[in-house]
Amino acid sequence: MMRATTLAKLAASASRTTPYARTLSFHTNTSASSSLLASSSVPTACTAALSLSQQQRGVSTSFIRKRVNPVERPVSPHVAIYQFPLPAITSITHRACGVSLAAVVSYASFVSLTDSPCELLSSIDSVVAAGGLPLVATKFAVGAPLAYHYINGLRHLVWDTTGKGLDLESAKQSAIAVIVAGGAIGLALAFVGN
């Protein structure tokens, strides 16, 4: 009985043109409402209003389905469409460098613990013996992320302790300084001792 009176109120409100009434009429269950209407004593005017709202719902649903087509456009924006500011890029790179350095140290530790430490040292000696470009590239691949991560960590430490340099322009300038300093120190470490 409670459901029948709720449907009767819903059907009566469906004939109004308020957005709230239309929203309510769109969320009625077709099979449940038709079975309750057949078994209850709902006035025929309410039944007609409810069937009209069901027709409206079918039209509006098909309109929505036509507009939102996942083939034509994505459902939600993808990360690739955003242009990240330079401070965000340096923050992401800082984390990536930290993870990669931790992975390299963990791998080297794992190899030295499971195999003999001599094998790790022999692989390092083979890179050193090759000399030239492989040695410089390897030293740069280790030195540049280490220098960048260290300098960017100092920048974050300054931000955390002083609270200065957090505005967008200062953050851009310090990001450029960190990139240049990290690259320069990485190059210096790559060519030292050759």
Side-chain angles (χ1 to χ4, degrees):
M1 185 64 183
M2 180 69 131
R3 176 82 173 163
T5 55
T6 305
L7 284 175
K9 289 179 183 177
L10 184 65
S13 67
S15 60
R16 295 188 208 133
T17 58
T18 62
Y20 180 70
R22 282 195 209 125
T23 305
L24 283 177
S25 68
F26 291 152
H27 295 295
T28 59
N29 187 352
T30 308
S31 60
S33 63
S34 61
S35 65
L36 282 173
L37 287 176
S39 64
S40 64
S41 60
V42 178
T44 56
C46 292
T47 333
L50 186 58
S51 64
L52 178 65
S53 70
Q54 291 171 353
Q55 291 171 356
Q56 290 173 347
R57 182 183 58 203
V59 171
S60 67
T61 304
S62 63
F63 173 74
I64 291 172
R65 286 186 184 141
K66 286 180 184 174
R67 277 192 60 156
V68 180
N69 188 356
V71 175
E72 293 176 14
R73 63 180 184 188
V75 176
S76 62
H78 194 266
V79 175
I81 68 168
Y82 296 114
Q83 182 179 2
F84 289 112
L86 188 60
I89 294 170
T90 56
S91 177
I92 293 167
T93 309
H94 176 74
R95 292 177 179 141
C97 286
V99 168
S100 65
L101 289 169
V104 167
V105 169
S106 298
Y107 176 73
S109 300
F110 179 75
V111 168
S112 67
L113 288 174
T114 56
D115 298 335
S116 67
C118 297
E119 288 185 29
L120 181 64
L121 293 175
S122 66
S123 62
I124 292 172
D125 285 339
S126 65
V127 172
V128 171
L133 188 60
L135 178 62
V136 171
T138 304
K139 289 168 75 176
F140 183 77
V142 173
L146 183 64
Y148 174 80
H149 187 72
Y150 183 77
I151 295 169
N152 204 15
L154 290 176
R155 178 175 78 143
H156 280 277
L157 187 63
V158 168
W159 283 350
D160 291 341
T161 56
T162 65
K164 295 180 181 176
L166 292 174
D167 60 301
L168 188 58
E169 191 58 39
S170 298
K172 281 182 184 178
Q173 291 173 356
S174 65
I176 292 170
V178 164
I179 292 170
V180 169
I185 292 173
L187 282 173
L189 289 174
F191 287 107
V192 167
N194 283 344

